[in-house]
Amino acid sequence: MDNGDRSGAGAGAVGSAGSLGLRVGQAVFSSASLLFMSVGVEFFSYTAFCFLVTIMGLVIPWSCTLAMIDVYSVFVGCPLRVPGVMVIVVALSIVSFAAACSSAAVIDLLLQLHGSHSSPTFCGRYQLSAMMAFLSWLLMAASATFNLWFVASRW
């Protein structure tokens, strides 16, 4: 099953060029989510938004660290296999999805209240932040799926 990847890893498994692309996308979308939520917006009034900021604050350094591991693995051609990484990738994916969903639910509630609790500008920024969090989660879910597939194919 050769997919043209020099490292010998699966298409999106840790240590491959595909994984590097997923990690960079995760870091970009998580940073955008954090930026839209926290710059000039009073997000701390809502627990779900605080949860989203906390999780995106964890996803950014995690994704950047794994991106550096992927860069090393791609250039050296020796994939780094750490079993604990898979558990963290799956757990962070689940928690990221929970944060994005809870934020989207609060935004929906704020919009149904016709902006009586939030200005339209803030609601728009909240929506952008939640959308970026969902995109980041989508890439994390793809990464978790590729890594699970890679682990399963090795047995």
Side-chain angles (χ1 to χ4, degrees):
M1 179 173 164
D2 184 22
N3 61 0
D5 197 353
R6 290 187 347 207
S7 67
V14 174
S16 67
S19 177
L20 177 60
L22 289 171
R23 303 292 175 228
V24 169
Q26 289 169 17
V28 167
F29 288 132
S30 297
S31 298
S33 177
L34 190 63
L35 181 75
F36 284 125
M37 184 59 73
S38 60
V39 175
V41 179
E42 296 181 10
F43 68 89
F44 49 84
S45 303
Y46 303 97
T47 306
F49 296 161
C50 293
F51 181 49
L52 180 70
V53 167
T54 302
I55 297 304
M56 291 301 115
L58 292 172
V59 169
I60 295 166
W62 174 255
S63 296
C64 291
T65 301
L66 284 181
M68 288 187 282
I69 291 171
D70 290 336
V71 166
Y72 173 79
S73 296
V74 168
F75 286 127
V76 172
C78 177
L80 181 63
R81 300 285 177 234
V82 181
V85 170
M86 186 62 232
V87 173
I88 296 172
V89 167
V90 171
L92 198 55
S93 176
I94 292 168
V95 173
S96 174
F97 183 63
C101 286
S102 64
S103 294
V106 170
I107 293 164
D108 186 46
L109 180 65
L110 289 173
L111 290 173
Q112 285 182 5
L113 295 174
H114 303 292
S116 61
H117 289 53
S118 177
S119 73
T121 302
F122 287 167
C123 278
R125 297 210 39 197
Y126 293 154
Q127 285 176 321
L128 285 172
S129 178
M131 182 181 69
M132 294 296 139
F134 273 114
L135 291 173
S136 176
W137 166 77
L138 186 66
L139 294 176
M140 276 191 268
S143 174
T145 302
F146 287 136
N147 281 291
L148 284 172
W149 186 272
F150 180 73
V151 167
S153 69
R154 293 293 177 178
W155 286 349

